[in-house]
Amino acid sequence: MPLDRLAAVAWYRRNRARSRALFDLLDEDTYYSRPIALRHPIVFYEGHLPGFSFNTLIKKGLGRPSIDPRLEALFARGIDPHESTVGADGSSRAGGAGRPDGWPARDEVHAFADEADRQVIDALLKDDVDQAGHPLLDRAEAVFTILEHEAMHQETLLYMWHRLPFAQKRKPAGYQPRVEGAIPGDDWIEIPAGCATLGVARNAHVFGWDNEHPAMSAEVQAFRIARHDVTNARYLEFVEAGGYRDPQWWRPEDWSWVQRDAVAHPLFWEPDGGRWYWRGMFDLVSLPPAWPVYVSQAEAVAYARWRGARLPTEAEFQRAAYGSPGGERTHPWGEAPPDGARGVFDFASWDPEAAGSHPKGASAWGVEDLVGNGWEWTSTPFGPFPGFAAMASYPEYSADFFDGEHVIMKGASMATAKELLRPTFRNWFRVRYPYVYATFRCAT
Ligand SMILES: [Fe+2]
């Protein structure tokens, strides 16, 4: 199917408008700050998004000349969570006049971004960006690469914004976290043995990242899985039972982390005067008991062990989410496109909502919130499917992370764009990375 140019331009503009809106949430004086120590300062990301699009589609794809080689080099490589490499902090800094750490003035970033946007939109409208057999442009790969890259970054920007002091953020008018909701029951669901599709042939869908290819399926034995994500209320039982002080629940390297960093509770929780609070995007709220708990995979594994359970594998998640007695589906709820009744995703909220509040998004087996309201940790290390080949438009996207230190997350969070909600999409992070909108559920 040929590229729908107008749809691509509309998506690009939608991405750019949303990115601008996200940067506009912040006070000007945050621009050179670094909300997460291992990440670049905020200025980097405002240049990186258009810079990556320009570099990938216009320079590498179409072979056109630079706008500004110094800025293109400065903004080339994001060290964001889906690209996390501990220790790589700041390695792409370059010289510049009069700004902290040598970063350019904001006007200079905007002028570069405007020219990059102009050339990208012009190319999407008029140039030969869909060329069979071209390494980067076959099936318009570079077009979808830049579109999904920006959408994914919007979520990673929000992880960073989340860490900034409330006084440095402008809360949108009328926004209030939806803290209400009853704590859902502790139901377990039997999933029968069957086959789970994990990967897809490149030519069988419009676009996927290299780690989704080629076709791959797995036999899954019968297993049990919780109907709901682990809530703050249930996780609090583990905290109050001394879970963070007992090495028997933790893998050795995770226990070292707990001790070294004095980890005593989820990063999103804050104790005050004997009570627990949740650090939301714009508000500190009394810990909402029914919200899914957001934790690192290390903490999820410890909780599951304490409960006498484990995390699901990637294949089990896939079977629970997309399997059905009559074959696999596009979404847990079936073939209907994603909408707000099915789950909390596509920037529907700045914070989670109660687990179990979107039963219309349940899978064929009745498992709820599999897509939306927080990514879900699995026990499966991030790795390639047999026959993997790095994609020409972004060769380091996956291959740099097949190191056994990253694990797969599936599903989506409130800050995951609807365009990324496809069954084969895979996300990954380090096991002790605590900043992401990620929850979990138990399996046995
Ligand atoms: Fe990036």
Side-chain angles (χ1 to χ4, degrees):
M1 202 166 61
L3 176 70
D4 181 338
R5 290 176 183 272
L6 293 181
V9 170
W11 184 358
Y12 188 78
R13 289 189 192 280
R14 197 160 72 240
N15 271 344
R16 300 301 293 138
R18 185 183 287 132
S19 294
R20 258 192 307 280
L22 296 185
F23 284 97
D24 284 347
L25 292 171
L26 304 185
D27 274 358
E28 191 67 30
D29 59 7
T30 63
Y31 196 54
Y32 297 98
S33 71
R34 200 183 280 265
I36 295 178
L38 292 168
R39 303 290 162 242
H40 284 304
I42 287 164
V43 51
F44 168 83
Y45 296 94
E46 200 173 40
H48 174 66
L49 295 174
F52 178 92
S53 295
F54 174 79
N55 189 50
T56 301
L57 183 64
I58 308 299
K59 268 175 76 180
K60 285 165 68 182
L62 296 171
R64 303 264 167 81
S66 282
I67 299 169
D68 181 328
R70 182 183 68 87
L71 289 182
E72 285 154 34
L74 181 64
F75 295 137
R77 185 69 203 262
I79 315 293
D80 51 11
H82 71 268
E83 301 161 352
S84 65
T85 302
V86 171
D89 179 25
S91 57
S92 69
R93 283 184 218 168
R99 304 291 152 192
D101 296 322
W103 292 97
R106 195 163 196 180
D107 286 350
E108 199 182 343
V109 179
H110 286 174
F112 170 75
D114 289 348
E115 178 58 18
D117 286 345
R118 191 191 66 76
Q119 292 200 36
V120 169
I121 289 170
D122 200 56
L124 292 175
L125 287 171
K126 297 184 210 137
D127 288 320
D128 197 4
V129 294
D130 186 1
Q131 297 180 33
H134 187 291
L136 278 85
L137 300 174
D138 190 67
R139 298 180 72 85
E141 177 185 291
V143 171
F144 293 100
T145 292
I146 69 170
L147 292 169
E148 292 206 0
H149 172 261
E150 182 147 2
M152 288 190 290
H153 262 291
Q154 290 168 345
E155 177 162 6
T156 62
L157 290 177
L158 287 172
Y159 300 154
M160 288 194 289
W161 284 203
H162 214 103
R163 295 295 127 211
L164 286 168
F166 298 130
Q168 294 183 350
K169 296 184 269 196
R170 303 185 186 105
K171 178 171 160 171
Y175 176 67
Q176 285 300 329
R178 296 183 189 98
V179 295
E180 67 283 356
I183 303 165
D186 187 22
D187 300 350
W188 290 78
I189 292 177
E190 302 277 345
I191 309 290
C195 193
T197 298
L198 302 179
V200 56
R202 174 66 188 94
N203 293 340
H205 66 165
V206 173
F207 175 77
W209 295 96
D210 51 11
N211 65 67
E212 299 171 58
H213 306 141
M216 157 83 180
S217 63
E219 283 299 324
V220 180
Q221 299 303 306
F223 66 105
R224 293 195 324 147
I225 193 163
R227 182 189 300 274
H228 298 289
D229 295 320
V230 173
T231 57
N232 286 321
R234 293 202 192 281
Y235 198 84
L236 182 60
E237 296 168 8
F238 173 64
V239 173
E240 290 182 336
Y244 281 76
R245 298 190 300 274
D246 190 341
Q248 71 173 306
W249 311 124
W250 302 81
R251 293 174 298 210
E253 56 281 19
D254 298 338
W255 179 243
S256 299
W257 167 67
V258 166
Q259 291 186 296
R260 188 186 65 238
D261 293 2
V263 181
H265 55 80
L267 179 74
F268 286 80
W269 294 16
E270 293 186 6
D272 187 25
R275 289 171 54 96
W276 287 106
Y277 293 84
W278 173 283
R279 183 180 190 77
M281 178 61 88
F282 300 104
D283 310 86
L284 193 68
V285 295
S286 199
L287 187 68
W291 283 9
V293 69
Y294 283 1
V295 288
S296 65
Q297 198 249 15
E299 292 163 294
V301 167
Y303 174 93
R305 286 184 176 177
W306 175 76
R307 282 290 312 267
R310 60 180 176 80
L311 298 189
T313 65
E314 180 183 17
E316 286 172 338
F317 180 97
Q318 208 72 359
R319 176 89 176 127
Y322 302 105
S324 86
E328 291 185 300
R329 309 159 146 200
T330 303
H331 300 290
W333 55 86
E335 301 309 310
D339 70 58
R342 308 290 186 172
V344 188
F345 43 66
D346 202 34
F347 308 92
S349 179
W350 304 98
D351 293 291
E353 297 181 19
S357 56
H358 289 73
K360 283 185 75 178
S363 78
W365 320 108
V367 186
E368 298 190 27
D369 289 320
L370 287 156
V371 172
N373 219 19
W375 291 89
E376 303 207 4
W377 290 110
T378 74
S379 60
T380 302
F382 181 50
F385 298 142
F388 169 87
M391 62 203 298
S393 60
Y394 195 169
E396 67 275 29
Y397 175 67
S398 305
D400 283 9
F401 304 96
F402 296 150
D403 56 7
E405 299 190 13
H406 294 75
V407 294
I408 294 283
M409 299 188 323
K410 291 290 292 186
S413 84
M414 62 276 187
T416 308
K418 65 178 185 297
E419 292 86 354
L420 306 178
L421 305 186
R422 58 177 175 267
T424 53
F425 189 90
R426 306 165 88 203
N427 201 344
W428 65 94
F429 279 94
R430 286 179 182 272
V431 297
R432 290 178 289 280
Y433 197 72
Y435 303 107
V436 291
Y437 299 145
T439 184
F440 68 104
R441 72 185 70 224
C442 291
T444 60

